[in-house]
Short mmCIF file of all heavy atoms in Angstrom, two decimals:
data_model
loop_
_atom_site.label_atom_id
_atom_site.label_comp_id
_atom_site.label_asym_id
_atom_site.label_seq_id
_atom_site.Cartn_x
_atom_site.Cartn_y
_atom_site.Cartn_z
N HIS Y 135 -50.44 -29.89 -62.30
CA HIS Y 135 -49.75 -30.56 -63.41
C HIS Y 135 -48.44 -31.18 -62.90
O HIS Y 135 -48.10 -32.31 -63.25
CB HIS Y 135 -49.43 -29.56 -64.53
CG HIS Y 135 -50.61 -29.18 -65.36
ND1 HIS Y 135 -50.98 -27.88 -65.61
CD2 HIS Y 135 -51.53 -29.94 -66.02
CE1 HIS Y 135 -52.05 -27.85 -66.38
NE2 HIS Y 135 -52.41 -29.09 -66.63
N ALA Y 136 -47.72 -30.42 -62.09
CA ALA Y 136 -46.45 -30.93 -61.57
C ALA Y 136 -46.69 -32.10 -60.60
O ALA Y 136 -45.95 -33.09 -60.60
CB ALA Y 136 -45.68 -29.81 -60.88
N LEU Y 137 -47.75 -31.99 -59.79
CA LEU Y 137 -48.06 -33.08 -58.86
C LEU Y 137 -48.42 -34.35 -59.62
O LEU Y 137 -48.00 -35.45 -59.26
CB LEU Y 137 -49.21 -32.68 -57.93
CG LEU Y 137 -48.86 -31.63 -56.87
CD1 LEU Y 137 -50.12 -31.17 -56.15
CD2 LEU Y 137 -47.86 -32.20 -55.86
N LEU Y 138 -49.20 -34.20 -60.71
CA LEU Y 138 -49.57 -35.36 -61.52
C LEU Y 138 -48.34 -35.97 -62.18
O LEU Y 138 -48.19 -37.20 -62.24
CB LEU Y 138 -50.58 -34.95 -62.60
CG LEU Y 138 -52.01 -34.71 -62.12
CD1 LEU Y 138 -52.83 -33.99 -63.19
CD2 LEU Y 138 -52.68 -36.05 -61.76
N ASP Y 139 -47.44 -35.11 -62.67
CA ASP Y 139 -46.20 -35.58 -63.29
C ASP Y 139 -45.43 -36.46 -62.30
O ASP Y 139 -45.06 -37.60 -62.60
CB ASP Y 139 -45.37 -34.33 -63.69
CG ASP Y 139 -44.23 -34.63 -64.65
OD1 ASP Y 139 -43.97 -35.80 -64.94
OD2 ASP Y 139 -43.58 -33.65 -65.10
N GLY Y 140 -45.23 -35.93 -61.10
CA GLY Y 140 -44.48 -36.67 -60.08
C GLY Y 140 -45.17 -37.96 -59.67
O GLY Y 140 -44.53 -39.01 -59.52
N ALA Y 141 -46.50 -37.90 -59.51
CA ALA Y 141 -47.26 -39.08 -59.06
C ALA Y 141 -47.20 -40.19 -60.10
O ALA Y 141 -47.03 -41.36 -59.77
CB ALA Y 141 -48.71 -38.68 -58.79
N ARG Y 142 -47.32 -39.81 -61.37
CA ARG Y 142 -47.28 -40.84 -62.43
C ARG Y 142 -45.91 -41.48 -62.52
O ARG Y 142 -45.78 -42.68 -62.72
CB ARG Y 142 -47.60 -40.19 -63.77
CG ARG Y 142 -49.06 -39.92 -63.92
CD ARG Y 142 -49.25 -39.39 -65.30
NE ARG Y 142 -50.53 -38.72 -65.38
CZ ARG Y 142 -50.85 -37.86 -66.32
NH1 ARG Y 142 -49.98 -37.55 -67.25
NH2 ARG Y 142 -52.03 -37.32 -66.34
N GLU Y 143 -44.90 -40.66 -62.40
CA GLU Y 143 -43.54 -41.19 -62.46
C GLU Y 143 -43.31 -42.19 -61.33
O GLU Y 143 -42.72 -43.25 -61.53
CB GLU Y 143 -42.53 -40.04 -62.35
CG GLU Y 143 -42.36 -39.26 -63.63
CD GLU Y 143 -41.52 -40.00 -64.65
OE1 GLU Y 143 -40.29 -40.01 -64.51
OE2 GLU Y 143 -42.12 -40.58 -65.57
N LYS Y 144 -43.82 -41.84 -60.14
CA LYS Y 144 -43.63 -42.72 -58.99
C LYS Y 144 -44.38 -44.03 -59.22
O LYS Y 144 -43.87 -45.12 -58.94
CB LYS Y 144 -44.16 -42.01 -57.73
CG LYS Y 144 -43.53 -42.51 -56.47
CD LYS Y 144 -43.80 -41.59 -55.32
CE LYS Y 144 -43.57 -42.37 -54.03
NZ LYS Y 144 -44.40 -41.87 -52.95
N ALA Y 145 -45.59 -43.92 -59.78
CA ALA Y 145 -46.41 -45.11 -60.00
C ALA Y 145 -45.78 -46.03 -61.05
O ALA Y 145 -45.97 -47.24 -61.01
CB ALA Y 145 -47.81 -44.69 -60.44
N LEU Y 146 -45.02 -45.45 -61.99
CA LEU Y 146 -44.38 -46.27 -63.03
C LEU Y 146 -43.17 -47.04 -62.49
O LEU Y 146 -42.62 -47.91 -63.16
CB LEU Y 146 -43.93 -45.39 -64.20
CG LEU Y 146 -45.03 -44.95 -65.17
CD1 LEU Y 146 -44.51 -43.85 -66.10
CD2 LEU Y 146 -45.53 -46.13 -66.00
N ALA Y 147 -42.76 -46.68 -61.29
CA ALA Y 147 -41.63 -47.32 -60.60
C ALA Y 147 -40.45 -47.50 -61.55
O ALA Y 147 -39.96 -46.53 -62.11
CB ALA Y 147 -42.08 -48.63 -59.99
N GLY Y 148 -39.99 -48.74 -61.79
CA GLY Y 148 -38.79 -49.00 -62.61
C GLY Y 148 -38.95 -48.62 -64.07
O GLY Y 148 -37.96 -48.53 -64.79
N ALA Y 149 -40.18 -48.40 -64.54
CA ALA Y 149 -40.40 -48.12 -65.97
C ALA Y 149 -40.65 -46.63 -66.21
O ALA Y 149 -41.21 -46.25 -67.24
CB ALA Y 149 -41.59 -48.93 -66.46
N ASN Y 150 -40.25 -45.80 -65.27
CA ASN Y 150 -40.56 -44.38 -65.42
C ASN Y 150 -39.70 -43.71 -66.50
O ASN Y 150 -38.69 -44.25 -66.93
CB ASN Y 150 -40.42 -43.65 -64.07
CG ASN Y 150 -39.00 -43.64 -63.59
OD1 ASN Y 150 -38.23 -44.50 -63.94
ND2 ASN Y 150 -38.65 -42.65 -62.80
N ILE Y 151 -40.15 -42.51 -66.92
CA ILE Y 151 -39.46 -41.78 -68.00
C ILE Y 151 -38.26 -41.02 -67.44
O ILE Y 151 -37.29 -40.77 -68.14
CB ILE Y 151 -40.46 -40.80 -68.67
CG1 ILE Y 151 -41.58 -41.60 -69.35
CG2 ILE Y 151 -39.78 -39.88 -69.67
CD1 ILE Y 151 -42.77 -40.76 -69.75
N GLY Y 152 -38.34 -40.69 -66.16
CA GLY Y 152 -37.30 -39.84 -65.59
C GLY Y 152 -37.52 -38.39 -65.96
O GLY Y 152 -36.58 -37.67 -66.32
N THR Y 153 -38.77 -37.94 -65.90
CA THR Y 153 -39.07 -36.55 -66.27
C THR Y 153 -38.45 -35.58 -65.27
O THR Y 153 -37.97 -35.99 -64.21
CB THR Y 153 -40.60 -36.27 -66.30
OG1 THR Y 153 -41.09 -36.22 -64.96
CG2 THR Y 153 -41.36 -37.32 -67.10
N THR Y 154 -38.54 -34.31 -65.61
CA THR Y 154 -38.02 -33.29 -64.71
C THR Y 154 -39.04 -32.95 -63.61
O THR Y 154 -38.78 -32.08 -62.77
CB THR Y 154 -37.68 -32.01 -65.49
OG1 THR Y 154 -38.86 -31.57 -66.17
CG2 THR Y 154 -36.57 -32.24 -66.49
N SER Y 155 -40.21 -33.59 -63.63
CA SER Y 155 -41.28 -33.39 -62.63
C SER Y 155 -41.79 -31.96 -62.58
O SER Y 155 -42.26 -31.50 -61.54
CB SER Y 155 -40.81 -33.77 -61.21
OG SER Y 155 -40.35 -35.07 -61.20
N ARG Y 156 -41.68 -31.25 -63.69
CA ARG Y 156 -42.12 -29.86 -63.70
C ARG Y 156 -43.56 -29.71 -64.20
O ARG Y 156 -44.06 -28.59 -64.33
CB ARG Y 156 -41.19 -29.01 -64.59
CG ARG Y 156 -39.74 -28.99 -64.14
CD ARG Y 156 -39.60 -28.35 -62.77
NE ARG Y 156 -38.22 -28.06 -62.43
CZ ARG Y 156 -37.39 -28.86 -61.77
NH1 ARG Y 156 -37.80 -30.05 -61.37
NH2 ARG Y 156 -36.16 -28.49 -61.49
N GLY Y 157 -44.19 -30.83 -64.56
CA GLY Y 157 -45.58 -30.75 -65.05
C GLY Y 157 -45.69 -30.54 -66.55
O GLY Y 157 -46.76 -30.22 -67.07
N ILE Y 158 -44.56 -30.73 -67.25
CA ILE Y 158 -44.53 -30.44 -68.69
C ILE Y 158 -45.50 -31.35 -69.45
O ILE Y 158 -46.36 -30.87 -70.21
CB ILE Y 158 -43.09 -30.62 -69.24
CG1 ILE Y 158 -42.08 -29.80 -68.43
CG2 ILE Y 158 -43.04 -30.36 -70.74
CD1 ILE Y 158 -42.21 -28.31 -68.50
N GLY Y 159 -45.37 -32.67 -69.25
CA GLY Y 159 -46.23 -33.62 -69.98
C GLY Y 159 -47.70 -33.39 -69.68
O GLY Y 159 -48.52 -33.23 -70.61
N PRO Y 160 -48.10 -33.36 -68.41
CA PRO Y 160 -49.51 -33.12 -68.10
C PRO Y 160 -50.03 -31.77 -68.66
O PRO Y 160 -51.19 -31.69 -69.09
CB PRO Y 160 -49.55 -33.14 -66.57
CG PRO Y 160 -48.44 -34.08 -66.20
CD PRO Y 160 -47.35 -33.80 -67.21
N ALA Y 161 -49.22 -30.74 -68.69
CA ALA Y 161 -49.69 -29.45 -69.23
C ALA Y 161 -49.93 -29.55 -70.74
O ALA Y 161 -50.91 -29.01 -71.25
CB ALA Y 161 -48.68 -28.34 -68.91
N TYR Y 162 -49.03 -30.24 -71.46
CA TYR Y 162 -49.27 -30.43 -72.91
C TYR Y 162 -50.48 -31.33 -73.15
O TYR Y 162 -51.19 -31.16 -74.14
CB TYR Y 162 -48.02 -31.01 -73.59
CG TYR Y 162 -47.00 -29.95 -73.98
CD1 TYR Y 162 -45.73 -29.94 -73.42
CD2 TYR Y 162 -47.30 -28.98 -74.94
CE1 TYR Y 162 -44.79 -28.99 -73.79
CE2 TYR Y 162 -46.36 -28.02 -75.31
CZ TYR Y 162 -45.12 -28.03 -74.74
OH TYR Y 162 -44.19 -27.07 -75.11
N GLU Y 163 -50.71 -32.28 -72.24
CA GLU Y 163 -51.91 -33.12 -72.35
C GLU Y 163 -53.17 -32.26 -72.25
O GLU Y 163 -54.12 -32.41 -73.02
CB GLU Y 163 -51.96 -34.09 -71.17
CG GLU Y 163 -51.48 -35.47 -71.45
CD GLU Y 163 -51.52 -36.25 -70.15
OE1 GLU Y 163 -52.62 -36.57 -69.64
OE2 GLU Y 163 -50.45 -36.52 -69.63
N THR Y 164 -53.17 -31.37 -71.26
CA THR Y 164 -54.32 -30.49 -71.07
C THR Y 164 -54.52 -29.59 -72.29
O THR Y 164 -55.65 -29.36 -72.73
CB THR Y 164 -54.12 -29.62 -69.80
OG1 THR Y 164 -53.80 -30.48 -68.71
CG2 THR Y 164 -55.37 -28.83 -69.46
N LYS Y 165 -53.41 -29.12 -72.85
CA LYS Y 165 -53.50 -28.30 -74.08
C LYS Y 165 -54.17 -29.11 -75.19
O LYS Y 165 -55.10 -28.64 -75.85
CB LYS Y 165 -52.10 -27.87 -74.49
CG LYS Y 165 -52.01 -27.21 -75.86
CD LYS Y 165 -50.57 -26.80 -76.18
CE LYS Y 165 -50.46 -26.27 -77.61
NZ LYS Y 165 -49.11 -25.75 -77.90
#
Side-chain angles (χ1 to χ4, degrees):
H135 284 128
L137 289 171
L138 284 166
D139 194 354
R142 283 184 198 162
E143 283 284 282
K144 204 166 160 209
L146 282 168
N150 66 334
I151 295 166
T153 73
T154 57
S155 303
R156 300 296 192 268
I158 306 294
Y162 276 117
E163 261 177 70
T164 308
K165 170 179 175 175

